[in-house]
């Protein structure tokens, strides 16, 4: 039975196979050689596939969390847009009302200014007329 534990080359199996991993045993027998290498590769492949599955689940979890966060942020952004949009519209309307009030006030003040200029011109003409009358009276008084 000693020949069962030997590889085809007649060499005894060691603690490490050619790929650097410990020999696998199946059913109490140490598997070495090509069958051992295939079994080792199969187990390595299986464990890597399991690790890939774990990583895929991890990625899917993060994608889901990211999507949830993204949706939440988008909803908040939409709320903010609605709030500021309504606020901006209200301010625009108030501004338009104030502009119209200011235009009306400007027209009123312009009319007052025109009236005052007219009155000033009239008063100035009256002053000139009075000055002439004073000069005339002074000349009459001075000749007598």
């Amino acid at each position: 039975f000693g020949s069962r534990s030997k590889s085809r080359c007649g060499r005894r199996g060691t603690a490490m196979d050619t790929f650097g991993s410990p020999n696998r045993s199946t059913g109490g027998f140490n598997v070495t050689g090509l069958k051992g290498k295939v079994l080792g590769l199969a187990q390595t492949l299986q464990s890597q596939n399991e690790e890939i599955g774990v990583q895929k689940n991890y990625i899917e979890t993060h994608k889901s969390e990211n999507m949830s966060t993204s949706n939440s942020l988008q909803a908040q952004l939409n709320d903010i847009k609605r709030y500021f949009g309504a606020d901006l519209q209200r301010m625009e309307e108030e501004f338009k009302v104030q502009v119209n009030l200011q235009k009306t006030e400007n027209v009123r003040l312009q009319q007052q200014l025109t009236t005052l200029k007219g009155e000033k011109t009239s008063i100035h003409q009256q002053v000139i007329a009075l000055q002439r009358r004073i000069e005339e009276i002074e000349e009459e008084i001075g000749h007598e």
Side-chain angles (χ1 to χ4, degrees):
F1 286 103
S3 63
R4 276 192 165 180
S5 63
K6 292 183 181 179
S7 68
R8 287 187 180 170
C9 299
R11 188 174 51 130
R12 256 187 148 354
T14 62
M16 301 291 271
D17 66 13
T18 4
F19 291 101
S21 59
N23 285 331
R24 313 285 187 246
S25 62
T26 55
F29 293 103
N30 217 5
V31 179
T32 59
L34 189 56
K35 285 183 181 181
K37 290 178 184 178
V38 168
L39 181 61
L41 286 174
Q43 289 175 344
T44 301
L45 184 60
Q46 181 180 356
S47 68
Q48 288 176 348
N49 282 337
E50 289 171 359
E51 181 63 25
I52 287 172
V54 168
Q55 291 300 321
K56 280 183 181 179
N57 288 340
Y58 180 77
I59 288 171
E60 288 301 318
T61 300
H62 280 285
K63 278 184 182 179
S64 173
E65 289 172 357
N66 187 20
M67 186 62 80
S68 173
T69 302
S70 177
N71 289 341
S72 173
L73 290 175
Q74 188 63 43
Q76 288 177 353
L77 180 61
N78 290 339
D79 288 344
I80 291 169
K81 282 182 180 179
R82 259 191 313 276
Y83 172 77
F84 283 114
D87 204 32
L88 185 61
Q89 186 175 3
R90 180 189 52 77
M91 289 183 341
E92 269 183 36
E93 290 171 4
E94 287 177 6
F95 180 74
K96 287 178 183 178
V97 167
Q98 290 300 319
V99 165
N100 288 333
L101 287 174
Q102 187 64 51
K103 284 180 181 178
T104 303
E105 180 69 8
N106 289 352
V107 167
R108 187 184 68 77
L109 290 174
Q110 187 63 44
Q111 288 171 346
Q112 279 185 349
L113 184 62
T114 302
T115 302
L116 289 173
K117 283 181 179 180
E119 289 176 3
K120 177 188 170 206
T121 302
S122 175
I123 291 172
H124 185 64
Q125 289 172 351
Q126 289 174 4
V127 167
I128 291 173
L130 288 174
Q131 285 175 341
R132 283 187 194 145
R133 178 71 179 133
I134 291 172
E135 287 174 6
E136 288 174 4
I137 292 174
E138 284 177 349
E139 282 181 21
E140 285 179 15
I141 295 177
H143 289 298
E144 294 183 13

